[in-house]
């Protein structure tokens, strides 16, 4: 059980707090997908690829992982895409299934 003050401290920073039992989380798609993405945590996407993907998503609304990978020219495709997801430029659904070529990618506006 987390300390009582933790929830209010997190919410005061503008974040949401939701405790999750490890038994409910251990075999989830979210955890498996997060582990796959975090492998690329130190990779930095080239500027040209970032701009190209963001412009494509602006125009199309959403693309699949496969379509995004084919748009990457300067960097390594999967690390570039994973890096942009981890940095908060792009979003995918981590909960419903493992990341696949058909996974939908959307731009995060911020």
């Amino acid at each position: 059980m987390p300390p009582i003050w933790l929830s209010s401290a997190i919410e005061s920073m503008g974040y949401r707090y939701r405790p999750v039992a490890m038994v409910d989380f251990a075999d989830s798609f979210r955890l498996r997908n997060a582990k796959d993405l975090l492998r690329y945590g130190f990779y930095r996407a080239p500027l040209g690829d970032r701009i190209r993907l963001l412009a494509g998503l602006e125009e199309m609304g959403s693309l699949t992982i496969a379509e995004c990978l084919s748009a990457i020219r300067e960097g390594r495709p999967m690390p570039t895409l994973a890096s942009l997801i981890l940095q908060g430029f792009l979003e995918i659904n981590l909960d419903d299934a493992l990341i696949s070529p058909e996974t939908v990618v959307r731009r995060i506006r911020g």
Side-chain angles (χ1 to χ4, degrees), residues 12 19 29-30 33 35 39 42 44-45 48 74 78 91 104:
S12 73
F29 289 125
R30 177 176 280 273
N33 286 330
K35 286 180 178 180
R39 173 178 179 213
F42 291 110
R44 291 294 166 238
E74 297 173 34
M78 195 64 233
E91 68 178 351
V104 175

Side-chain angles (χ1 to χ4, degrees), residues 4-109:
I4 294 172
W5 58 266
L6 184 61
S7 179
S8 59
I10 290 171
E11 289 171 4
S12 73
M13 292 186 290
Y15 298 101
R16 292 182 298 155
Y17 176 75
R18 180 182 60 152
V20 177
M22 195 60 191
V23 70
D24 297 331
F25 191 63
D27 293 326
S28 69
F29 289 125
R30 177 176 280 273
L31 182 59
R32 292 171 65 190
N33 286 330
K35 286 180 178 180
D36 286 341
L37 289 173
L38 286 173
R39 173 178 179 213
Y40 304 106
F42 291 110
Y43 188 83
R44 291 294 166 238
L47 177 61
D49 287 335
R50 185 177 78 216
I51 299 300
R52 189 174 301 105
L53 280 173
L54 293 176
L57 287 164
E58 179 72 29
E59 183 178 323
M60 302 299 290
S62 67
L63 296 168
T64 65
I65 294 268
E67 291 167 332
C68 289
L69 294 178
S70 67
I72 295 170
R73 303 278 183 254
E74 297 173 34
R76 295 175 24 225
M78 195 64 233
T80 296
L81 187 58
S83 173
L84 293 173
I85 292 167
L86 291 169
Q87 291 177 40
F89 289 101
L90 308 176
E91 68 178 351
I92 61 172
N93 185 327
L94 298 174
D95 295 320
D96 293 341
L98 290 176
I99 297 169
S100 71
E102 298 82 25
T103 299
V104 175
V105 179
R106 290 184 178 80
R107 180 177 176 177
I108 295 176
R109 304 211 185 287

